[in-house]
Amino acid sequence: MAQVLEFKLPDLGEGLTEAEIVRWLVSVGDVVAIDQPVVEVETAKALVEVPCPYGGVVTARYGEEGTELPVGAPLLTVAVGASEPADLSASSTSPGLSSPAGPDAAPGSSAGSASDEASGNVLVGYGTGAPAARRRRVRRASVADPVAVGAVSVPAPVVQPVNGTVGPVPVVSPLVRRLARENGLDLRELTGSGRDGLILRSDVEQAIRQGVTQAQPATPAPVGLSASSTASSTASSFASPSVSSRIGAERVPLRGVRGAVADKLARSRHEIPDATCWVDADATELMAARTAMNAAGGPKISLLAVLARICTAALARHPELNSTVDMAAREIVRLPEVHLGFAAQTDRGLVVPVVRDAHTRSAESLSAELARLTEAGRSGRLTPGDMTGGTFTLNNYGVFGVDGSTPIINHPEAAMLGVGRIIPKPWVHQGELAVRQVVQLSLTFDHRVCDGGTAGGFLRFVADCVEQPAVLLRTL
């Protein structure tokens, strides 16, 4: 008889624990091939097409577009062909459904003949690496007629009602559970406003506001009130209806890329004792050298690529800044390779693609890779691997028309170099006042990995290379 297998949101790698459903690529009743992408999800790092390891008929989908699901939550169920028609009615309703191989079966495993209808792949580019099966044309199944799965006929899928509604049992996001836990709310007492009673973040926030409204008016804090009590009172005031429920206030969910950026920046400021030093540099000779390089023919070299090459040379002299801190072991871990991240603003928010092995690349190679990653970021095609594993970050905020900044370190790295705009300014050159192309450079560093002397030495070397590009030639 037919087997109905459940496909759960797989581990997307790189420590990601949840993903948002952006777009379903199949509908209930569609016939899917093994390793055919069935849903597009957005993680904290990229948009990813998730392929299904089973071939058969889609009998249920779990989660509407815009819903955030934790890793391990059901995505869909697939009726895999067998020797007899399968009864799909009981199989397509519960997110807790397990495959016939048991509750602990891997996504690509199943019992009986279903093993021939499954793949070891989880995501394209991940898993077993086995070639994907040839895709079959997706077609909708008739509700009245059976659907052919391979050479076997199974009845059309039916989604049974649950508690009077059609669809799966609600799955609560880990972020929603944490918000409820931090505010002392029991989710079992809340009524979800999402589809099929799904409890949304807005439901929890509304319950928090109602709790504040019903609370007794706060009394003035007595003299000698502890700092923790004061902080708690202050936090309550921020959650009060006068602030969070103001007429016309707009709520923007912190999820996807924006949520990941918020978490990482907050963690950086919480964990890293950072310090910043900066210096102005005369970039006139650097700009002239780049113009001469591009005039000589061959691939054009971007200014960011030249700055990246300077960074790798500076890190070779000051490897302390190409490191991370392992507080559990109380060790500074100095890293042998330079995987250079660079901040890029996109329509989806701030992303930091990573140039692998930047220390081994020429200016031309750096320019080409920076261009490729920038274009991928703008088109939303960056993979999780493109944005992880960085050891040092270069931030060119000068493109926004600003002179300076105090960068926040891209946790768990140890430093970030910021570059402002290059503009004509009065400058003392060879003992005389002149108009020169001036740039401000700023370095934010983790004070645990080095002291100011090392950070200052790094920044001074960068400035020297900007002012006199020949200095860089001596390091090659």
Side-chain angles (χ1 to χ4, degrees):
M1 66 185 289
Q3 295 178 348
V4 179
L5 304 183
E6 180 183 79
F7 176 44
K8 299 178 180 180
L9 179 64
D11 183 352
L12 303 172
E14 309 296 347
L16 302 172
T17 58
E18 61 270 325
E20 178 184 341
I21 296 175
V22 175
R23 182 167 61 100
W24 281 105
L25 305 178
V26 296
S27 301
V28 172
D30 285 347
V31 178
V32 296
I34 295 174
D35 290 341
Q36 174 180 329
V38 293
V39 65
E40 185 180 70
V41 301
E42 181 179 33
T43 70
K45 304 200 177 285
L47 287 174
V48 178
E49 284 190 349
V50 180
C52 179
Y54 310 127
V57 177
V58 177
T59 62
R61 300 186 320 192
Y62 300 113
E64 295 297 318
E65 294 179 356
T67 301
E68 191 171 64
L69 298 179
V71 169
L75 272 178
L76 50 76
T77 54
V78 177
V80 177
S83 58
E84 299 178 6
D87 179 8
L88 308 182
S89 61
S91 304
S92 57
T93 59
S94 172
L97 178 68
S98 298
S99 73
D104 297 324
S109 66
S110 59
S113 62
S115 61
D116 296 330
E117 296 289 340
S119 144
N121 290 335
V122 175
L123 290 179
V124 174
Y126 295 85
T128 63
R134 182 176 60 86
R135 295 185 185 177
R136 286 171 281 185
R137 183 174 60 87
V138 174
R139 63 182 179 85
R140 294 298 306 273
S142 168
V143 174
D145 300 329
V147 179
V149 182
V152 182
S153 178
V154 299
V158 178
V159 179
Q160 296 283 5
V162 178
N163 297 329
T165 62
V166 175
V169 176
V171 178
V172 181
S173 159
L175 298 177
V176 173
R177 288 197 296 268
R178 184 177 66 185
L179 181 63
R181 183 174 62 252
E182 291 174 349
N183 289 274
L185 294 178
D186 187 347
L187 289 173
R188 293 172 295 183
E189 298 178 358
L190 299 184
T191 301
S193 62
R195 182 174 180 178
D196 303 322
L198 178 68
I199 298 175
L200 306 178
R201 182 180 183 127
S202 58
D203 299 325
V204 175
E205 291 172 340
Q206 182 179 4
I208 295 172
R209 291 196 299 271
Q210 289 175 345
V212 172
T213 303
Q214 297 168 3
Q216 293 295 325
T219 56
V223 176
L225 185 64
S226 67
S228 61
S229 299
T230 303
S232 177
S233 175
T234 302
S236 296
S237 69
F238 279 108
S240 66
S242 61
V243 174
S244 60
S245 299
R246 226 171 247 170
I247 295 176
E250 179 184 2
R251 289 182 172 271
V252 179
L254 277 175
R255 62 189 184 193
V257 172
R258 174 52 57 190
V261 169
D263 292 340
K264 177 160 280 196
L265 295 181
R267 185 176 183 184
S268 178
R269 277 295 164 90
H270 176 72
E271 295 184 10
I272 299 177
D274 58 354
T276 303
C277 53
W278 59 89
V279 65
D280 289 342
D282 180 359
T284 306
E285 297 300 328
L286 180 71
M287 300 298 285
R290 173 176 170 260
T291 299
M293 292 166 66
N294 288 335
K300 300 297 182 183
I301 298 175
S302 67
L303 177 61
L304 189 62
V306 177
L307 294 170
R309 185 65 189 87
I310 292 174
C311 278
T312 59
L315 289 171
R317 286 178 164 243
H318 302 279
E320 300 91 337
L321 294 170
N322 193 60
S323 63
T324 188
V325 176
D326 184 349
M327 286 302 295
R330 298 193 66 79
E331 294 176 339
I332 297 172
V333 183
R334 293 183 182 173
L335 305 170
E337 299 89 10
V338 177
H339 300 318
L340 186 69
F342 65 99
Q345 193 70 38
T346 71
D347 292 340
R348 297 177 60 237
L350 179 67
V351 295
V352 184
V354 177
V355 177
R356 303 285 169 184
D357 298 314
H359 60 297
T360 66
R361 295 176 180 266
S362 65
E364 288 184 358
S365 175
L366 285 168
S367 189
E369 184 65 359
L370 288 166
R372 183 189 73 81
L373 291 169
T374 298
E375 177 56 31
R378 288 172 179 166
S379 60
R381 292 184 290 103
L382 287 172
T383 67
D386 287 333
M387 294 186 288
T388 52
T391 63
F392 184 93
T393 297
L394 174 61
N395 187 358
N396 179 22
Y397 44 76
V399 296
F400 302 118
V402 298
D403 296 330
S405 174
T406 54
I408 298 178
I409 295 173
N410 188 23
H411 185 280
E413 298 171 12
M416 178 185 291
L417 177 68
V419 181
R421 60 177 178 168
I422 301 176
I423 58 172
K425 285 186 178 181
W427 189 266
V428 176
H429 177 65
Q430 296 181 350
E432 295 183 357
L433 188 63
V435 176
R436 306 286 287 181
Q437 299 291 322
V438 178
V439 62
Q440 184 179 99
L441 307 169
S442 56
L443 177 72
T444 296
F445 64 99
D446 186 339
H447 223 315
R448 296 173 298 180
V449 305
C450 69
D451 295 323
T454 300
F458 175 94
L459 189 59
R460 188 63 257 171
F461 177 81
V462 171
D464 289 345
C465 289
V466 168
E467 294 185 340
Q468 303 175 40
V471 173
L472 181 60
L473 296 177
R474 292 199 295 269
T475 68
L476 300 179

